[in-house]
Amino acid sequence: MNTRLDKLLNIKYPIIQGGMANIATGEFAAQVANAGGLGLIAAGSLDPMGLEKEIEIAKSVTDKPFGVNIMLMNPHCDALVDVLIAKGVKIVTTGAGNPAKYIEKFKENGIRVFPVVPSVALAKRMEGLGVDGIIVEGTEAGGHIGELTTMALVPQVIKEVKIPVIAAGGIASGAQMLAAFALGAIGVQVGTVLLGTYECPIHENYKQAILKAKDTSTIVTGRIAGTPVRSIKNPMTKEYVKLEKEGKSMMELESFTLGSLRKAVKEGNVKEGSLMAGQVAGMIEKLDTIENVFEKLMKDCKQQYQNIEEIVNG
Ligand code: TUI
């Protein structure tokens, strides 16, 4: 029998917050925790002192479980791992790379680790190293992504591993959550739907861009440089595509994207900034509280389960 993620992590809902570099502060992670999900401090663009500070803030805002997301392209990763261990963080998710070299350290320190994986091969490797579960992320997701869709990838991973699987990418409604459970996931990770919350510390202009988005509003840049990133189409993505065609180096392209995420989040520069968001941005119609978003996901998931009963049973 599968244990639901809420039971496994001692949280109210089987929902993990996506890493969201530059966005998920200690305060935001704690607010997600208070609303009943697993909140995560995004260490994506933090240095060790910055992470220490955000962990302190999170502890002051919530007494519920929260974790840290390690973005493996961050050059400070080794030191960040030491900080989160010293600060007593007990749950870690990782993204944008292979966390193999840290797994033993996490286990020695009683930390539960859930790497984000974009393929069956990486999922199997992670299981072999003894991780506690994997977050299987489809290409519908925002930010740095893999090639496969959630629908195609989740069942293929589930067939090959015995550890818990959490589905990510393309989940912003109760129906999508139910679909993830139907595929065999024990929980979901959501990011884009949380960009549309009052609590989310992104610039108001970024939020408005999410609310305005439609189904075809996102684009993937960076496939050539090897770091595909999904964001909302704007003059920056147009410029990026141009730079790619001109054959600019991987380094130049990468720093272009990372720098522009800050521009969007902090300055609200929706022309030059990188408005990272998933394909479900088109489903976010109005701002709401994190608590309402989670409650609605759960309620609609249950409702949809009843709605399809007749179709399933005939
Ligand atoms: O990591 C994410 N999403 C992110 S990270 C990020 S910050 C950034 N910005 C610009 C360029 C690069 C990073 C924004 N969004 N999601 C989880 C995720 N992990 N998606 C894909 C992967 C992944 C890719 C390759 C995980 C492992 C992997 O392994 C390759 C290997 O070494 O085997």
Side-chain angles (χ1 to χ4, degrees):
M1 260 301 265
N2 263 337
T3 311
R4 268 173 41 150
L5 186 68
D6 41 354
K7 306 274 185 312
L8 206 67
L9 297 179
N10 195 24
I11 53 179
K12 189 170 176 192
Y13 303 124
I15 304 173
I16 298 185
Q17 166 228 310
M20 300 197 292
N22 267 311
I23 296 173
T25 56
E27 180 167 18
F28 183 70
Q31 287 165 331
V32 169
N34 284 337
L38 179 71
L40 297 166
I41 299 169
S45 58
L46 296 178
D47 60 18
M49 265 177 65
L51 178 60
E52 204 171 329
K53 193 175 128 223
E54 295 304 324
I55 293 173
E56 283 306 322
I57 294 172
K59 282 181 181 168
S60 73
V61 179
T62 190
D63 53 7
K64 301 222 160 35
F66 69 89
V68 168
N69 171 265
I70 297 286
M71 203 279 281
L72 292 154
M73 285 164 67
N74 184 327
H76 301 292
C77 273
D78 290 1
L80 292 170
V81 166
D82 290 340
V83 165
L84 70 89
I85 291 170
K87 285 278 161 193
V89 170
K90 291 295 174 211
I91 304 169
V92 167
T93 68
T94 68
N98 183 340
K101 70 184 248 206
Y102 301 115
I103 303 294
E104 211 176 292
K105 216 171 190 182
F106 289 142
K107 286 164 66 102
E108 275 167 12
N109 287 281
I111 295 168
R112 286 194 281 177
V113 56
F114 298 84
V116 176
V117 300
S119 67
V120 172
L122 197 59
K124 283 167 76 172
R125 270 201 74 190
M126 293 299 109
E127 179 177 47
L129 294 174
V131 304
D132 298 274
I134 36 178
I135 302 166
V136 175
E137 187 181 273
T139 195
E140 299 94 319
H144 179 47
I145 48 168
E147 286 285 341
L148 294 156
T149 61
T150 305
M151 186 78 137
L153 181 60
V154 171
Q156 295 188 67
V157 170
I158 283 180
K159 191 163 154 271
E160 296 293 332
V161 303
K162 293 195 178 67
I163 51 175
V165 166
I166 294 112
I171 300 169
S173 73
Q176 288 161 327
M177 193 176 184
L178 179 66
F181 294 147
L183 295 177
I186 64 157
V188 295
Q189 176 182 281
V190 297
T192 304
V193 75
L194 292 173
L195 296 178
T197 61
Y198 296 115
E199 293 96 328
C200 189
I202 56 175
H203 196 282
E204 203 49 40
N205 297 350
Y206 195 158
K207 287 188 191 176
Q208 289 307 317
I210 297 288
L211 298 182
K212 267 201 292 189
K214 56 184 171 87
D215 56 345
T216 54
S217 291
T218 71
I219 186 170
V220 180
T221 54
R223 285 203 200 276
I224 295 173
T227 46
V229 168
R230 183 181 302 283
S231 56
I232 293 182
K233 288 175 193 163
N234 66 354
M236 184 284 294
T237 60
K238 242 189 187 157
E239 175 67 14
Y240 190 103
V241 171
K242 194 169 144 249
L243 292 175
E244 268 187 333
K245 283 187 183 148
E246 286 168 9
K248 287 277 185 292
S249 78
M250 217 177 116
M251 287 287 283
E252 279 173 282
L253 290 168
E254 227 158 64
S255 62
F256 185 75
T257 313
L258 268 181
S260 44
L261 176 59
R262 260 196 102 70
K263 268 189 206 161
V265 174
K266 311 275 184 223
E267 299 161 24
N269 188 338
V270 290
K271 293 205 166 77
E272 295 165 30
S274 174
L275 303 162
M276 292 188 190
Q279 289 183 337
V280 291
M283 297 172 71
I284 319 297
E285 284 167 353
K286 62 176 181 60
L287 295 180
D288 210 336
T289 63
I290 302 170
E291 195 171 5
N292 284 345
V293 166
F294 288 166
E295 269 176 16
K296 187 163 164 38
L297 279 174
M298 297 306 297
K299 186 169 149 265
D300 291 351
C301 181
K302 282 199 185 102
Q303 182 64 54
Q304 192 63 10
Y305 186 52
Q306 282 162 14
N307 292 350
I308 65 172
E309 213 262 316
E310 204 178 312
I311 299 175
V312 175
N313 288 328

